Amino acid sequence: MSITVNGAFAELLSQLAVCLGVPKCNSYAQSRENEDGSRMVATDNGNIIISANSSPSGYIRKDSQLGVEPLRGCGTSKYYANFVAVLWQQGGNVKTMEDAAVYNFTGCSFAPSANYSSVDAQLMTVGTVYEQIIREENAPKVIPTQAGLAVIKIEFTLSYKLPDCNLGAPSCGAPAPSPAPPLPAFLQKFLDSTLIDDPTIVAAMAKFSGKIVNSTWGIKLLDGGIFYPYVGGTSFEHKFNLINADDTDAAYRISWNGGYGHNGFGIQPNGVNAWANTHYNESIHGIAGQGAFFLYSRTQTGNVQTCDMGAFDGVRSSNLFPRVTIVNPDRLYLRLQSAGAGFVPSQTSTIRTYIWTRDNPANVRALVNSSSLLVQTEALNGLPTVNTYLNCLNNNNVPQFHSYRAIGCQGLCRYSLTNAEMIDMSAAIDELMLDLGRNV
Amino acid sequence: MEMGKQVAIIDKITVGYLEGGVYDGGGTKYAPAQDAHGNWFITEEEIKGTTSPKFEWVKTLELSPYYPPPSPPLPMG
């Protein structure tokens, strides 16, 4: 059976392929080996997403990307494909599966396989949440996304085979691919939990995750730490901890409360009643005399008594008030396992990366606004016994000092960071913000 | 606090009904609070963010200007 995608659906695929960076060359196809042995191929006309060389049940990981490497060569084996399409159409009905069921492999002279089985037509309405309509292998299925969102993902399986041809022939592609390295397990889990497959986000997160696994600050972060990247644009996607993306409180999944805005720039608390519980309790999960908090602020403020994250149990405190009036205006006020007046150098900027850490009983050190290294004597007073809240101060289990600063990412580390680690981590966060288009 | 915030005043019974209720797909809960006059309210952001059919009716609540209560003193330890 001929396999052709035509009409509006083909246009959609074409747009998707362009979004994924698939080059529209005329000489060879491109492919990538997936972790499960499947392969995805972008054809010459750049508008097809294909994979799997193992079995009809071969599955493309949703983070797979197209066109990152040239095709090694063509073969005669029958290839099976698992095809993923995401429709972003707003309103009305999407095309039926019948529209998506045919595709013409033109680029590399792919011969359609006779094994392709037609899919059942299913008229799907944008905005409706579907369970899997048909459960058999190779049958089309609709992956539900979040209720209320006008996004539907359609998955179905098709097959094709490659023609006989020689390695390096114009129709077969360039030689010598090197398999793309697999994503770190924690990032893969994060993507699986959040259902994020936006290629820009995946690429940015892959780059940042590489810095985590290849840095000393990152290794520290990976041991029970928290990093909320706030990618995806919804409260569901924003609640997950990159380091452990289980959907549980024990993994420090965020519990949101009150009025928030969520968008592609991160989170926007309303400064009135918005607060979030990390479920991280320093007295249980932290280490006395160690630790680091961090965040990326996108909002410049005046002198306001608002807190971006913190816990205070009546005696011990870990928190950040970036610009307040304490005796004198423009005071940066941050503490970590401290008491007393806090860490109060003059400060007028409240944007970009803040990292503050404790590494001995006497000192708290900080890197603020992605640039200034500060150190202040601030006696260790023990670990706060209440949970760390975000976008406010947890004042003995009462959220207070609600902040309206837009936050690009934030988190904490159980271990202290050196000055060099803070500088390196700040640069990595700044680069992540840049890659996500939310730097200030 | 940013200027020009809008809130919807609600009565105590409604507070009990909304408190702890999840209003969106990310598990976000309403957090009714009191303004400078002691009136209970939920915020414009909570209303706009409501996707739960159970709480669709909050979208009919009337918005009014927010009067923030005085900020508590900073905890000094």
Side-chain angles (χ1 to χ4, degrees), chain A residues 235 256 258 270 273 312 333 340, chain B residues 5 23-24 29 31 46 75-76:
Chain A
S235 60
W256 304 108
N270 66 4
N273 67 343
F312 175 59
Y333 181 74
Chain B
K5 284 287 181 186
Y23 69 73
D24 71 4
K29 296 176 180 176
E46 290 164 283
M76 300 300 283

Side-chain angles (χ1 to χ4, degrees), chain A residues 146-148 235-236 239 254-262 268-273 275 304-306 312 314-315 319 321 324-326 333 335 339-342 393 395 400-402 404, chain B residues 1-3 5-7 20-35 41-49 51-53 66 68-77:
Chain A
Q146 289 179 68
S235 60
F236 173 80
K239 73 179 180 177
I254 290 176
S255 295
W256 304 108
N257 298 272
Y260 275 93
H262 297 272
Q268 177 64 71
N270 66 4
V272 176
N273 67 343
W275 63 278
V304 286
Q305 293 194 163
T306 59
F312 175 59
V315 178
N319 57 48
F321 290 77
V324 296
T325 298
I326 303 174
Y333 181 74
R335 301 196 289 196
L393 175 69
N395 190 350
Q400 291 182 334
F401 307 104
H402 300 275
Y404 60 88
Chain B
M1 218 287 295
E2 281 180 303
M3 301 302 292
K5 284 287 181 186
Q6 297 268 299
V7 298
V22 172
Y23 69 73
D24 71 4
T28 312
K29 296 176 180 176
Y30 293 106
Q34 287 179 287
D35 66 12
F41 66 88
I42 60 172
T43 61
E44 184 178 15
E45 291 82 5
E46 290 164 283
I47 293 170
K48 285 183 174 175
T51 56
S52 168
Y66 171 57
S71 182
L74 279 180
M76 300 300 283

Side-chain angles (χ1 to χ4, degrees), chain A residues 190-210:
Chain A
F190 176 81
L191 296 172
D192 291 343
S193 294
T194 58
L195 305 176
I196 289 173
D197 57 5
D198 180 296
T200 301
I201 295 174
V202 172
M205 293 304 297
K207 186 174 168 187
F208 182 73
S209 297

Side-chain angles (χ1 to χ4, degrees), chain A residues 18 83 87 110 129 137 206 235 296 348 403 410 437-438:
Chain A
V18 169
F83 185 100
L87 306 186
F110 294 148
V129 177
E137 296 286 357
S235 60
Y296 187 93
T348 55
S403 172
Q410 63 193 130
R438 59 175 67 164

